[in-house]
Amino acid sequence: GLNLIAFGFFKKVVVADTLAWTVNLAFADEIPNTSGAFWWVVMIMFAFQIYCDFSGYSDIARGLGKWIGFEFPVNFRNPYIASSFRDFWERWHISLSTWFRDYVYIPLGGSRKGKLSSHFNMWVTMLISGLWHGAAWTFIAWAALHSFYMSVERLTNWPRKLLKLPGGKHLATISVFLLTTIAWVFFRAGTFEQAFDILRIMFNFNSFNFAAIDSINNDPINLLLIIIGSQLFFYFGFHRAEWIASKTISKAIFDTVFIAFIILMCVFLRAPSNTFIYFQF
């Protein structure tokens, strides 16, 4: 339980809050930066900000639940390694997506009444989930874009075809991530006008001024340490059960070192505090 709580705080106060500093400044600028490279970097940062924010509070809740005897299921399973949008929604915010599946999609008929009906039911379910996040057209656009992605995926089966190519799994994963990042523009933007302005700049390939990336307000040393720390967490966390089972290291020693390292990262690398994004929903 303590492992999950510590890891959740690391995701929130170190990774998510560090990225939020830049993302918030970029979206608050009344005159958007006109470099496509700048906005691609900002939106990728937001993609990881919202993931670490959402999964961070989920890890904290799971850890607290373990302390009082509840075993809550995993809520995020590395969604950005998904190689299809169906796979993405089976990994992203699992508790919410399964609730919409069980209480909206399936009662509407699911996929039992033919392909056309299944597309319609999926669109209705996604649009309702968009409204659940907020009564704003930007959330509807975000949900509609994901509905469009999934309809195209069902009609063309492009991920499966891509997987047959050399390196196809990586291509599929990158494609899903970039398309998801584009949809995040609507989720994060305050207005339709701002979202379309940003997308117009992102896809104006004549405006890819990489020098503009220098205006991103983050300490590169902190970001490097955060990236290294994150990779260490994933590596050690992945091998934890294996090492303990083989008696390579005792559970007490592993967990003590792991938690101490996380606490040090949270103390020395924490960014200016931001409320959990999810609190607005």
Side-chain angles (χ1 to χ4, degrees), residues 57-175:
Y57 87 80
S58 296
D59 288 340
I60 293 168
R62 288 184 64 222
L64 292 172
K66 282 179 178 290
W67 278 1
I68 57 177
F70 293 100
E71 188 65 41
F72 296 125
V74 175
N75 205 21
F76 291 83
R77 291 190 302 108
N78 298 320
Y80 291 142
I81 67 169
S83 55
S84 69
F85 281 97
R86 178 174 181 175
D87 187 23
F88 175 83
W89 283 105
E90 289 175 348
R91 294 172 177 273
W92 179 271
H93 210 332
I94 299 167
S95 59
L96 183 64
S97 58
T98 52
W99 190 93
F100 276 107
R101 181 198 66 194
D102 294 343
Y103 293 100
V104 181
Y105 180 70
I106 291 176
L108 284 172
S111 57
R112 300 189 302 273
K113 299 180 180 179
K115 292 183 178 179
L116 183 61
S117 177
S118 71
H119 282 274
F120 175 80
N121 295 337
M122 181 267 293
W123 274 76
V124 170
T125 303
M126 283 301 302
L127 292 176
I128 290 174
S129 77
L131 277 174
W132 181 88
H133 284 90
W137 287 109
T138 47
F139 291 119
I140 296 295
W142 166 77
L145 200 49
H146 269 278
S147 300
F148 174 74
Y149 292 158
M150 287 190 285
S151 283
V152 171
E153 183 173 289
R154 289 184 181 187
L155 291 169
T156 64
N157 204 16
W158 67 265
R160 187 181 294 273
K161 294 175 182 176
L162 202 56
L163 291 175
K164 295 178 181 178
L165 300 175
K169 180 170 177 55
H170 298 300
L171 289 173
T173 299
I174 292 170
S175 299

